[in-house]
């Protein structure tokens, strides 16, 4: 299965990096994995459209062509990122804005969006929102699932929210990573 991991965290020694390693170490040999590490790629998250960059030409932007090629190639998507201020990192949001564009990932109909992509996805987020608030909190793991990927034709989508990361012990972090490893082995 062609598996595309889209990863966003600036610290290569972070817990998110440990999540990424756990996922890649535990995917079966049936997965052909490509990684987009947005920070390592120095991905430019700024969406530009003006006279030189018309919005209708975003599907042909040479700066994002390799990413569109990988998105088209993928059958399984894995997104790994922290939730900061109830949102995904700006670099991840910019990736979505610049790559999952109209005419490529979807098109507008009279009443909704029709997706051009296919496949399934797994979203793994980390944050420090207290667990009892998590079900009510707006976060971009949920937004990515319900408003972006679904609209682009990617489903089903599984979400794992790893909460309280800064306040828990190393032993509790290892338990969370063990659960991620089990899920990775099953996809």
């Amino acid at each position: 299965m062609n598996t595309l991991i889209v990863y966003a965290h600036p610290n290569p020694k972070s817990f998110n990096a440990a999540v990424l390693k756990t996922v890649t170490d535990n995917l079966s040999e049936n997965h052909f994995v490509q990684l987009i590490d947005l920070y390592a790629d120095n991905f430019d998250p700024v969406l530009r459209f003006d006279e030189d960059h018309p919005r209708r030409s975003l599907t042909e932007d040479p700066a994002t062509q390799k990413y569109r090629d990988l998105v088209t190639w993928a059958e399984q998507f894995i997104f790994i990122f922290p939730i900061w201020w109830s949102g995904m990192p700006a670099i991840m949001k910019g990736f979505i804005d610049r790559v999952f564009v109209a005419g490529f990932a979807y098109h507008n109909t009279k009443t909704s969006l029709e997706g051009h992509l296919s496949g399934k996805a797994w979203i793994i987020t980390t944050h420090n929102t207290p667990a009892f608030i998590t079900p009510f909190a707006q976060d971009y793991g949920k937004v990515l699932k319900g408003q972006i990927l679904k609209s682009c034709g990617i489903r089903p989508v599984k979400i794992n929210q790893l909460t309280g990361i800064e306040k828990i012990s190393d032993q509790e972090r290892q338990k969370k990573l063990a659960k991620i490893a089990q899920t990775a082995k099953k996809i």
Side-chain angles (χ1 to χ4, degrees):
M1 177 182 298
N2 294 342
T3 302
L4 178 62
I5 300 174
V6 183
Y7 172 74
H9 199 285
N11 182 350
K13 295 181 181 179
S14 68
F15 183 73
N16 278 263
V19 170
L20 173 63
K21 181 172 179 1
T22 299
V23 168
T24 57
D25 287 352
N26 287 281
L27 288 172
S28 77
E29 293 178 5
N30 296 332
H31 290 269
F32 303 100
V33 177
Q34 292 286 331
L35 171 64
I36 298 172
D37 181 335
L38 295 172
Y39 283 96
D41 281 6
N42 289 315
F43 183 82
D44 179 1
V46 178
L47 175 63
R48 295 173 181 84
F49 46 89
D50 53 28
E51 290 175 5
D52 296 327
H53 308 92
R55 187 168 188 175
R56 67 184 170 278
S57 297
L58 291 174
T59 59
E60 301 159 11
D61 183 354
T64 57
Q65 183 63 53
K66 72 177 183 178
Y67 301 110
R68 289 192 308 277
D69 290 345
L70 286 168
V71 166
T72 302
W73 167 84
E75 300 166 291
Q76 169 77 52
F77 297 85
I78 302 173
F79 293 86
I80 303 170
F81 59 91
I83 299 294
W84 293 329
W85 290 103
S86 297
M88 62 180 69
I91 200 166
M92 179 69 80
K93 178 66 168 76
F95 176 81
I96 298 297
D97 288 347
R98 294 191 62 209
V99 175
F100 286 70
V101 295
F104 168 68
Y106 68 93
H107 72 269
N108 293 299
T109 68
K110 288 184 180 185
T111 58
S112 65
L113 303 177
E114 185 171 324
H116 296 179
L117 305 175
S118 61
K120 52 189 176 180
W122 180 22
I123 301 167
I124 307 167
T125 62
T126 61
H127 54 85
N128 288 312
T129 306
F132 69 91
I133 294 175
T134 299
F136 310 103
Q138 175 75 359
D139 79 51
Y140 268 81
K142 294 175 188 175
V143 170
L144 181 59
K145 174 185 178 178
Q147 296 173 338
I148 299 168
L149 298 178
K150 182 179 175 184
S151 296
C152 293
I154 299 170
R155 58 178 73 100
V157 179
K158 176 178 181 49
I159 297 180
N160 283 101
Q161 296 182 19
L162 308 178
T163 63
I165 298 307
E166 286 185 3
K167 296 179 180 12
I168 62 175
S169 68
D170 285 341
Q171 183 179 14
E172 289 170 311
R173 286 188 192 98
Q174 291 306 313
K175 286 180 185 177
K176 290 181 185 286
L177 291 175
K179 288 181 181 179
I180 293 299
Q182 291 297 352
T183 301
K185 289 175 183 176
K186 293 176 186 174
I187 64 167

